[in-house]
Amino acid sequence: MAAEGLSARDWGTADRPTRTRRRHTALYSAVAMALVLGAFVGVLATRKSALDKQARSPLLGEQAPDIIGDSITNGAPFSLMSLRGRYVLVNFFASWCEPCQEEQPQLVAFDHEPSGRTAVVGVLFSDTPGPAKAFLAANGGDWPVLADPEGQLALNYGVRGPPESYLVNPNGVVLAKFIGGVSDAGLDRLVAEAQQGGGQ
Amino acid sequence: MNALVGRDAVLLGFLAALGGVVTLGFGLRRHQDHLLRQARTYAWLILGAAVLAVAMMERALLTYDFSLTYVADNGGRQVPVIFTISTLWGALAGSILLWTLILAGYTAAVVLKFRRRAVDPLVAWATLVMYSVCAFFFALMLFSGANPFTKVPGTPPANGPGPNPLLQDHPLMIIHPPMLYLGYVGFTVPFAFAVAALVTGRLGEGWLIETRRWTLLAWGFLTVGIVLGAWWSYEVLGWGGFWAWDPVENAAFLPWLCGTAFIHSVMVQERRGMLRVWNLSLVLATFCLTILGTFLTRSGVIDSVHAFTESDVGPWILTFFVIVLAVSIGLIGWRGDRLRSPGAIDSPFSREGAFLANNLLFAAFAFVVLLGTVFPLLIEAINGQQITIGGPYFNTMTEPIVLCLLFLMAIAPALPWRKASGELMRKRLLFPAWTAGLTVVACVAFGLRGGVDTLACFGLGAFAAAAAVRQLVLATRRSLADGAGPWRGIVGRANGGMIVHIGVVIIAVAFAASQAYGHRTEIPMRAGQSAKVSGHTITFLGIHTEQHSNRTSLVADVRIDGGKVYTPQISDYPADPGGGIGTPSVRSTPVDDVYLTIASPPQTPADPTVIGVTVQPLIIWLWIGGGFMAFGTLLAMLPGRRRRPVLPASAPAHEEAPVRPRRLPAGASAAVETP
């Protein structure tokens, strides 16, 4: 310890008596690093979770393409128009898609919002009704689900791979597109923003 | 009962860590030595609590206690026992539990090692830092969404889905994560000592000598963890590659780069007393990068194949990251200028000059990787655009850096300290340069195609390997002359380091060869048909189904070169509706690997099966190179040859009173070739 007590300054002075003014390189570098990293942390802190990441889509602000067909869950005819007045999440999914399985509980939560102003519609993407029914039985979800065997709905919406989802407002206008999973909390936030913004 | 005891254990650990922090804080402030001695006890409490919590979680997993959310989500009766044990690190909450256990282990080891020096403020401060980090991780389990001991609301389910299917069919999954965490967490020790050195203003090289082996240990584990991770990805994921520059891989690679820079530049400080602030900064940065990596991969801000599903640990880890950053930068800013060491590098053509260049290259390497990892986030923050950065960016940017590093690896061991003369270098580099030249000539003569960069990698690799071999031969010869056994020639930091270098060269060459000469194809085949791929005959024998406790597998039988039958498969895990999981089957030889997958199974019995075949040369040498690196690290941790007394700076340190290095007498080292 005693040996350690001799500091670099003493040592430095002894070594180089000419260096009287202390330099501040470390201090300045630290301040510069602090500024850069502060900004970096700011970026990190304000990032939304990748789950709620919204994607660009030509459909944003446009009328959602209609979805008409028989639901595979109960065979009842369905039309997206029938859900006007509610915030609808159109969810493209497949039973073979693991992220879809992970996001399913979030969809169930969104479908069951106490406000009663939300709904979910599922559209199969490259999948058949059989496995899809098993998927719904295992992971929950009792909303209308359409088969889309020709992939026409996916084409209309510009879906590339499941899960992709579109949030449609009560007037049938597309508010947001999500590539990858969504979260109930994130959707609620968007709905709340839309309600404030639109005065609804 | 598992949940109750487990939660209490976590609480106990948290309180013990806090108790340790408070006791040490008071003891340091009031200069009360008995408090500092007393504070050692908390390390054992923390370790006991962590062991108990892990034991409870393992008990819950093994007894299928599905009342715990973690077990209900990740456990399953159909899962083989060995993978039930490894389920502990198969998901977020459990992996934080494992992290905490390893941290508690390191903390106890530090306290045990320095038990006689507990009243030394340097040791007390370092222990305080370790306790604080422990407190954070226990708090994370207590208060955030990563609590491993939450209970299932309502009736517990009768069975669970088991861990992610990718995590339950390969033994590497059992050892890769613990190795990685042993590396990751191990960097807490040098971080703690660096903070302690800065706080106490104990500027000598003492703290470095204390932490040298700890750093090497952590670095060695991290190396092994990364290599095993690449191996696992190769054996399990079925895309034929082993490194994808995925954010999780980068998260482990960044601290590795930073730590590698440190274990090199630290030698300059030990020998010449220079680069002190730089070394401290590297240690602090390494730890910051481990925490940043944890944040990036656990918070869901970055999409990654490895990313855990959403939880609220993000803000917690980010807060911790900010604290660690603030402490690090604050200490450097406050103390840095007073620590600045005297002396300057005499000549760029010297050992220290080479180490400096090495550090600049590693810093550039780390910056390139970090930038590529977070660039999508930055771009999105600036203009909302979503971009992806993939392999091409990383490969293009890192290739010149790797080539420069190989070149440095060749000449640095030959460079003397202080200043090199042309004649000395000519003598020392003669053999390595000839080896490099002959290698390139041989490659060209045998008509190896591939770009100039591949050829450069082979040539520089041979250059570096020959330089390392030359060092080892000289060291062995010297130790024989001294009357010590020949093994003395490979022990110690310098010689062990050369073996690590050989491992790095092997990996670099294998990497370049697999990138340049790999070949992938997909062949639709019916039973009995054969095909030729890159000189190998692939015969498809047929396809059948196998039933296992946790899965049903579609197995293809494929004979390679008329020899053994290999069985790529696609497995369905009933508990996991995610669909089939492909498992490749690989024939490895020292020359090349034949990597088989079922690219697509037949839809009807009449359809052909599409077999994916990837042939890549030298793959097996990646793992062998990793073995060299681990072995070399181990040797480097053993005490090496006694230094000559003419070099006071490198005299072996005494436990109680570390020797303060002095500047070398001019020319003292030029004549002696001990690194």
Side-chain angles (χ1 to χ4, degrees):
Chain A
M1 260 190 290
E4 290 291 330
L6 190 60
S7 78
R9 193 149 44 124
D10 312 332
W11 189 21
T13 331
D15 240 10
R16 296 202 162 184
T18 46
R19 196 206 284 171
T20 43
R21 259 182 48 218
R22 199 196 297 157
R23 284 194 274 162
H24 293 288
T25 325
L27 180 62
Y28 297 150
S29 320
V31 171
M33 282 303 277
L35 291 176
V36 172
L37 290 169
F40 177 55
V41 168
V43 169
L44 289 184
T46 50
R47 285 310 83 200
K48 283 180 190 149
S49 164
L51 282 175
D52 291 319
K53 220 163 254 177
Q54 293 182 35
R56 290 187 169 179
S57 163
L59 284 180
L60 297 188
E62 302 290 326
Q63 280 291 321
D66 203 2
I67 297 176
I68 302 173
D70 292 342
S71 170
I72 62 164
T73 44
N74 52 11
F78 169 82
S79 161
L80 189 60
M81 296 279 276
S82 67
L83 288 175
R84 286 286 148 85
R86 294 165 86 173
Y87 285 92
V88 184
L89 190 76
V90 180
N91 172 243
F92 289 84
F93 75 106
S95 65
W96 44 263
C97 142
E98 193 150 341
C100 301
Q101 188 200 348
E102 280 169 15
E103 95 173 323
Q104 197 73 1
Q106 301 293 329
L107 299 182
V108 175
F110 183 70
D111 188 48
H112 292 173
E113 287 293 317
S115 68
R117 295 201 62 192
T118 58
V120 177
V121 177
V123 181
L124 283 183
F125 184 90
S126 293
D127 201 3
T128 47
K133 279 186 200 163
F135 174 89
L136 292 169
N139 299 295
D142 50 2
W143 47 78
V145 174
L146 280 84
D148 194 24
E150 309 293 324
Q152 193 55 50
L153 291 174
L155 201 61
N156 293 348
Y157 275 83
V159 177
R160 275 194 276 172
E164 277 188 29
S165 303
Y166 296 80
L167 185 64
V168 180
N169 82 358
N171 302 324
V173 173
V174 177
L175 284 181
K177 170 180 181 175
F178 307 90
I179 296 178
V182 293
S183 74
D184 181 37
L187 291 172
D188 285 351
R189 209 161 39 230
L190 272 178
V191 169
E193 277 169 23
Q195 281 176 332
Q196 277 167 7
Q200 297 183 26
Chain B
M1 137 104 180
N2 292 324
L4 190 69
V5 176
R7 208 174 313 166
D8 287 346
V10 173
L11 184 64
L12 172 71
F14 178 64
L15 293 178
L18 275 191
V21 171
V22 170
T23 312
L24 281 171
F26 264 107
L28 280 165
R29 205 177 158 70
R30 306 248 164 97
H31 302 287
Q32 292 186 329
D33 287 355
H34 71 275
L35 283 180
L36 299 184
R37 279 194 210 96
Q38 204 183 319
R40 287 177 296 193
T41 321
Y42 291 104
W44 303 110
L45 269 178
I46 292 170
L47 181 61
V51 169
L52 186 61
V54 168
M56 280 304 124
M57 179 51 82
E58 285 294 357
R59 184 168 177 267
L61 283 166
L62 288 169
T63 57
Y64 307 114
D65 179 358
F66 294 111
S67 65
L68 260 70
T69 317
Y70 190 79
V71 183
D73 288 348
N74 303 294
R77 293 178 197 277
Q78 68 284 1
V79 182
V81 172
I82 187 82
F83 293 112
T84 297
I85 294 173
S86 70
T87 301
L88 175 67
W89 47 89
L92 178 69
S95 66
I96 288 179
L97 191 55
L98 177 69
W99 183 299
T100 312
L101 174 70
I102 293 174
L103 181 60
Y106 273 115
T107 307
V110 165
V111 167
L112 184 68
K113 175 88 200 310
F114 296 102
R115 63 191 178 283
R116 292 186 213 293
R117 288 178 48 191
V119 297
D120 180 342
L122 184 79
V123 173
W125 271 104
T127 318
L128 188 141
V129 173
M130 299 230 41
Y131 285 167
S132 312
V133 180
C134 288
F136 167 75
F137 277 95
F138 280 112
L140 193 60
M141 286 193 285
L142 274 185
F143 305 117
S144 85
N147 185 343
F149 293 104
T150 49
K151 297 198 80 167
V152 175
T155 337
N159 198 0
N164 184 320
L166 288 174
L167 306 184
Q168 47 173 311
D169 69 348
H170 202 282
L172 279 173
M173 204 53 221
I174 301 162
I175 46 172
H176 151 61
M179 286 291 152
L180 203 59
Y181 283 10
L182 278 166
Y184 245 40
V185 182
F187 282 115
T188 316
V189 181
F191 170 77
F193 275 91
V195 169
L198 280 165
V199 171
T200 56
R202 293 268 294 278
L203 327 156
E205 274 54 54
W207 73 274
L208 277 178
I209 294 167
E210 318 288 13
T211 56
R212 183 178 86 81
R213 290 219 173 90
W214 297 93
T215 313
L216 272 182
L217 185 74
W219 185 86
F221 277 126
L222 191 59
T223 308
V224 172
I226 291 174
V227 173
L228 288 181
W231 197 359
W232 173 80
S233 144
Y234 179 72
E235 294 280 340
V236 170
L237 296 186
W239 59 288
F242 44 86
W243 189 262
W245 300 105
D246 181 84
V248 168
E249 293 168 352
N250 294 346
F253 194 44
L254 282 169
W256 186 89
L257 289 171
C258 214
T260 310
F262 171 72
I263 56 183
H264 287 96
S265 68
V266 73
M267 287 186 264
V268 179
Q269 183 173 352
E270 283 188 34
R271 288 294 288 257
R272 303 279 324 263
M274 293 185 296
L275 301 181
R276 298 170 158 192
V277 180
W278 174 249
N279 282 328
L280 283 163
S281 310
L282 281 179
V283 172
L284 301 175
T286 305
F287 185 70
C288 289
L289 284 171
T290 63
I291 302 298
L292 176 67
T294 311
F295 169 75
L296 290 179
T297 51
R298 301 300 142 96
S299 64
V301 293
I302 285 185
D303 270 319
S304 155
V305 287
H306 295 66
F308 289 95
T309 42
E310 194 185 27
S311 75
D312 67 344
V313 296
W316 279 83
I317 301 180
L318 191 63
T319 310
F320 185 60
F321 177 62
V322 169
I323 294 171
V324 171
L325 263 188
V327 167
S328 304
I329 295 179
L331 281 173
I332 292 278
W334 174 45
R335 292 283 201 183
D337 289 303
R338 265 181 276 177
L339 305 198
R340 285 170 59 81
S341 38
I345 288 183
D346 303 292
S347 156
F349 302 104
S350 61
R351 183 71 64 78
E352 52 270 48
F355 279 134
L356 196 63
N358 150 307
N359 268 240
L360 293 178
L361 286 170
F362 271 107
F365 205 149
F367 180 74
V368 162
V369 175
L370 181 63
L371 190 66
T373 312
V374 298
F375 200 64
L377 287 177
L378 300 181
I379 286 297
E380 203 199 336
I382 291 166
N383 63 7
Q385 211 177 335
Q386 285 175 11
I387 57 161
T388 340
I389 294 204
Y393 160 83
F394 289 102
N395 288 336
T396 318
M397 297 295 282
T398 57
E399 189 186 280
I401 301 180
V402 172
L403 291 179
C404 289
L405 281 172
L406 283 175
F407 178 69
L408 264 189
M409 259 164 89
I411 60 163
L415 281 167
W417 293 92
R418 299 192 75 95
K419 190 166 180 7
S421 72
E423 195 182 342
L424 186 77
M425 292 309 287
R426 261 198 300 282
K427 183 172 146 255
R428 290 184 176 176
L429 288 178
L430 189 68
F431 164 65
W434 269 105
T435 316
L438 287 177
T439 307
V440 173
V441 169
C443 286
V444 174
F446 284 104
L448 225 55
R449 57 204 162 71
V452 177
D453 46 353
T454 314
L455 208 58
C457 180
F458 291 172
L460 289 173
F463 196 21
V469 169
R470 179 178 174 274
Q471 289 295 318
L472 288 170
V473 169
L474 286 181
T476 311
R477 215 185 277 165
R478 210 160 36 222
S479 78
L480 284 174
D482 289 356
W487 56 274
R488 270 281 174 203
I490 55 165
V491 212
R493 177 167 51 186
N495 304 323
M498 287 305 120
I499 292 183
V500 175
H501 278 191
I502 294 175
V504 173
V505 169
I506 294 176
I507 289 181
V509 168
F511 194 104
S514 72
Q515 298 286 312
Y517 308 116
H519 181 62
R520 178 173 170 79
T521 182
E522 289 184 359
I523 317 166
M525 295 177 102
R526 291 174 205 282
Q529 284 185 336
S530 289
K532 268 249 188 238
V533 181
S534 301
H536 294 281
T537 313
I538 312 290
T539 311
F540 178 55
L541 301 178
I543 200 156
H544 66 274
T545 314
E546 277 176 15
Q547 201 68 42
H548 298 271
S549 71
N550 56 345
R551 64 185 195 271
T552 310
S553 303
L554 188 67
V555 182
D557 293 311
V558 183
R559 194 185 292 283
I560 301 177
D561 294 336
K564 235 183 104 195
V565 174
Y566 290 82
T567 53
Q569 8 191 307
I570 292 184
S571 304
D572 256 319
Y573 290 76
D576 181 273
I581 302 284
T583 308
S585 180
V586 191
R587 189 191 70 167
S588 294
T589 67
V591 178
D592 61 6
D593 272 24
V594 181
Y595 188 97
L596 300 171
T597 52
I598 302 183
S600 80
Q603 297 302 318
T604 68
D607 287 346
T609 306
V610 183
I611 302 287
V613 186
T614 310
V615 179
Q616 294 179 102
L618 304 185
I619 290 286
I620 201 174
W621 293 95
L622 291 167
W623 331 132
I624 295 175
F628 267 84
M629 291 178 77
F631 181 60
T633 311
L634 199 67
L635 292 172
M637 284 164 63
L638 299 172
R641 212 166 66 91
R642 290 239 160 173
R643 307 271 188 199
R644 299 173 190 208
V646 70
L647 304 173
S650 47
H654 296 290
E655 175 79 12
E656 295 297 329
V659 174
R660 187 171 60 84
R662 252 163 272 148
R663 301 189 71 188
L664 292 173
S669 62
V672 190
E673 206 184 335
T674 44

